[in-house]
Amino acid sequence: MFPKNFMWGGATAANQMEGAYLEDGKGLSIQDILPRGVAGPRTEEPTPDNLKLIGIDFYHRYAEDIKLFAEMGFKVFRMSIAWARIFPNGDDAEPNEKGLAFYDKVFDECHKYGIEPLVTLSHYETPLNISKKYDGFRSRKTVDMYVKYAETVFKRYKGKVKYWLTFNEINTILSEPYISGGVWTDKKKLSLEDKLQAIHHELVASAMATKAAHEIDPENKVGCMVLALPVYPLTPDPADVLKAMEMNHNNLLFTDVQARGYYPSYTKRWLKEQNAKIVMEDGDEEILKNSVDFVSFSYYWSLCASADPSKLKEMYFSDAVPNPYLKATDWGWQIDPQGLRYILNEFYERYQKPLFIAENGLGAYDELVEDGNGGYTVNDDYRIDFLRQHLLQVEQAVEDGVDIMGYTSWGCIDLVSASTAELDKRYGYIYVDRNNKGEGTLERYRKKSFYWYKKVIETNGESLHE
């Protein structure tokens, strides 16, 4: 049984939905020159084939979309602020008032329906100028710019926003330093030590923002956010078990620092074996003690570890082995609902802090069809089954004694994929009429899952058992 105050909702990101990429004083972000998504090459400047430049036009349609979220019964809406909409170059002396005013309107619209905003400060969207001029978070100067930005929005939206996340999927910086840390230098030219230093700067920035949030408004609740990647040993071979432990350490490092306030002991051996070090400034250890109030994460898949290098393949931010017991989505992401229960228990046993599932969902090809009443819909039973199976495991974790604040499924409205920058990979309960060629009316249509999720929220999860 879900707690009575469970926060049901959905999750999005500014760069994947807002559009209006240069409107009202917004500057360029690192996403504006990534027309092929996370793994794709950068361009010299924004190109017309970058679907994120228009997104789904949330910038002009936010009232319509939030009204649809309210119709589903959302208690919380996870979104992000586009950093370059507030400080167009990142190092500007003063913030952009038109950017600040836009989010005032969005938050006011949320509160009109009793929806709490859950706001990510940096969701893969460093201002492009910071990336080019300072090499992103490789520079200590970026910490100060990030904290200035954070303090600006904490003060501006005091009383309107009380749930904050500092960085989206902060642990992905190990494999994708450009999108995760704004690091302009080609990742092939970066040493592990280079990436670790950028990681340290992000962790310091997160702790400083957490401290500022609590000082500016004691009602603020700040969470960290990581990509949860539970790793199972491929076999009972002790070598595989130890390999799984090492891979889990690489991810737990980020939550350990942000939730406990210090680097874990296993980091020392890892740094020694990698012949790497992290340069800390005076006071950094004290700063890191500003730990978060809750731990949030995205969950899409699990991995298997093998000590045999010949079995490894590149799988979603890691070198791992496909799990022979699991099926996969159309995009090859393995489906493991029980892994969600597993990681919820692991995080709670480790930190004893409330948890928030900030992303979980199914990207799939959807077909818009007539609904028999003169309108259109998508009969996405496959999505309903995916989400139901995962939510039943969340309920099991609640029964296990895990303190879970809420659940925001990813892409509650169709938006541009981060990994591939396409729109045909759809996650939402709401279909948006736009395709990979950028064609379409941008009209919104309720999918079958829209009404299913509405009932889940209305019954606080009871309908999952029907």
Side-chain angles (χ1 to χ4, degrees):
M1 183 178 295
F2 288 88
K4 290 182 179 180
N5 60 347
F6 195 76
M7 298 172 70
W8 297 96
T12 61
N15 72 85
Q16 293 169 255
M17 69 181 305
E18 281 185 2
Y21 79 105
L22 282 182
E23 197 163 325
D24 291 334
K26 179 184 172 294
L28 292 176
S29 88
I30 58 173
Q31 291 287 347
D32 295 326
I33 58 169
L34 275 184
R36 296 292 172 267
V38 169
R42 301 185 296 232
T43 53
E44 292 297 319
E45 57 186 24
T47 55
D49 61 338
N50 188 344
L51 296 180
K52 286 169 287 190
L53 304 185
I54 296 175
I56 60 167
D57 198 31
F58 179 79
Y59 193 77
H60 300 108
R61 296 170 180 253
Y62 66 89
E64 173 188 354
D65 292 339
I66 293 169
K67 184 178 181 180
L68 286 166
F69 300 156
E71 185 181 334
M72 273 187 282
F74 279 19
K75 312 298 182 188
V76 59
F77 172 42
R78 183 191 169 212
M79 53 171 283
S80 68
I81 293 175
W83 185 351
R85 211 176 276 290
I86 309 304
F87 288 97
N89 300 296
D91 56 3
D92 311 82
E94 299 295 330
N96 172 32
E97 174 57 30
K98 288 184 178 180
L100 289 167
F102 168 68
Y103 293 107
D104 269 321
K105 292 185 290 186
V106 172
F107 300 144
D108 289 345
E109 199 69 22
C110 286
H111 287 298
K112 175 179 169 182
Y113 298 103
I115 299 172
E116 285 283 357
L118 168 61
V119 179
T120 311
L121 290 168
S122 179
H123 193 128
Y124 292 165
E125 200 163 15
T126 307
L128 184 60
N129 180 60
I130 288 180
S131 182
K132 285 185 170 182
K133 184 176 178 181
Y134 301 95
D135 213 8
F137 274 94
R138 282 188 72 192
S139 169
R140 183 76 183 209
K141 292 180 181 178
T142 302
V143 175
D144 296 330
M145 289 181 281
Y146 172 86
V147 173
K148 179 180 178 179
Y149 154 60
E151 290 177 342
T152 299
V153 296
F154 291 155
K155 292 174 182 175
R156 176 66 173 238
Y157 307 122
K158 182 178 179 180
K160 292 187 178 184
V161 180
K162 66 177 180 180
Y163 296 102
W164 300 90
L165 304 178
T166 53
F167 289 94
N168 180 69
E169 295 181 337
I170 190 171
N171 50 326
T172 57
I173 192 172
L174 275 172
S175 57
E176 298 296 339
Y178 176 68
I179 64 155
S180 194
V183 177
W184 184 259
T185 300
D186 190 304
K187 65 181 180 180
K188 295 177 182 177
K189 297 179 180 179
L190 294 172
S191 66
L192 175 62
E193 192 167 81
D194 292 332
K195 288 186 280 189
L196 288 171
Q197 195 61 47
I199 287 166
H200 177 67
H201 291 157
E202 279 200 331
L203 292 171
V204 168
S206 177
M208 291 177 71
T210 301
K211 182 175 185 289
H214 291 150
E215 290 174 348
I216 291 167
D217 186 353
E219 296 296 312
N220 278 335
K221 300 294 181 185
V222 184
C224 59
M225 199 285 196
V226 296
L227 172 62
L229 288 171
V231 183
Y232 312 137
L234 183 65
T235 73
D237 183 337
D240 284 358
V241 175
L242 287 174
K243 183 64 177 178
M245 180 188 75
E246 292 171 1
M247 290 178 67
N248 278 316
H249 279 170
N250 281 348
N251 288 312
L252 291 169
L253 161 67
F254 295 84
T255 43
D256 278 355
V257 175
Q258 292 178 97
R260 291 175 167 174
Y262 55 88
Y263 280 93
S265 56
Y266 57 78
T267 309
K268 294 179 181 178
R269 175 175 182 171
W270 185 49
L271 291 174
K272 182 179 179 181
E273 290 178 347
Q274 298 297 325
N275 193 29
K277 64 179 180 179
I278 298 172
V279 177
M280 292 196 190
E281 292 191 0
D282 290 343
D284 279 3
E285 289 187 355
E286 193 65 27
I287 290 170
L288 291 176
K289 291 179 182 178
N290 293 284
S291 59
V292 294
D293 302 300
F294 63 97
V295 174
S296 80
F297 61 92
S298 59
Y299 176 76
Y300 294 99
W301 61 78
S302 57
L303 301 171
C304 284
S306 173
D308 182 354
S310 67
K311 295 180 179 179
L312 302 179
K313 61 179 290 188
E314 188 174 341
M315 293 180 66
Y316 348 106
F317 303 109
S318 300
D319 289 330
V321 185
N323 190 322
Y325 296 96
L326 300 178
K327 295 180 180 180
T329 71
D330 293 336
W331 275 263
W333 294 12
Q334 292 199 292
I335 302 170
D336 180 16
Q338 289 173 302
L340 181 50
R341 178 184 177 188
Y342 174 85
I343 199 67
L344 282 163
N345 273 273
E346 181 173 34
F347 280 151
Y348 192 62
E349 289 168 6
R350 195 173 185 92
Y351 306 120
Q352 293 292 299
K353 291 193 175 192
L355 306 180
F356 198 109
I357 304 159
E359 291 184 30
N360 172 239
L362 174 68
Y365 293 107
D366 287 345
E367 181 183 2
L368 191 67
V369 297
E370 293 183 1
D371 64 3
N373 297 309
Y376 295 90
T377 190
V378 174
N379 294 315
D380 55 343
D381 295 278
Y382 42 87
R383 178 169 294 109
I384 291 170
D385 181 65
F386 177 97
L387 293 169
R388 178 176 176 272
Q389 294 302 325
H390 282 78
L391 284 169
L392 286 170
Q393 292 299 318
V394 176
E395 188 177 45
Q396 287 294 314
V398 172
E399 293 297 320
D400 293 334
V402 179
D403 182 0
I404 308 173
M405 298 167 60
Y407 173 90
T408 49
S409 55
W410 175 251
C412 48
I413 182 171
D414 291 345
L415 36 66
V416 183
S417 167
S419 57
T420 56
E422 59 184 323
L423 260 161
D424 286 354
K425 184 182 184 183
R426 298 177 183 272
Y427 284 87
Y429 305 112
I430 301 163
Y431 184 95
V432 177
D433 182 27
R434 193 170 189 235
N435 62 22
N436 281 354
K437 296 179 181 179
E439 303 165 335
T441 64
L442 289 170
E443 286 299 302
R444 275 66 163 147
Y445 301 97
R446 299 165 183 82
K447 303 179 188 179
K448 186 176 181 179
S449 58
F450 180 101
Y451 301 101
W452 171 83
Y453 195 47
K454 183 176 189 285
K455 190 172 183 181
V456 170
I457 297 173
E458 283 177 350
T459 64
N460 199 32
E462 289 293 327
S463 64
L464 295 168
H465 299 278
E466 293 178 355

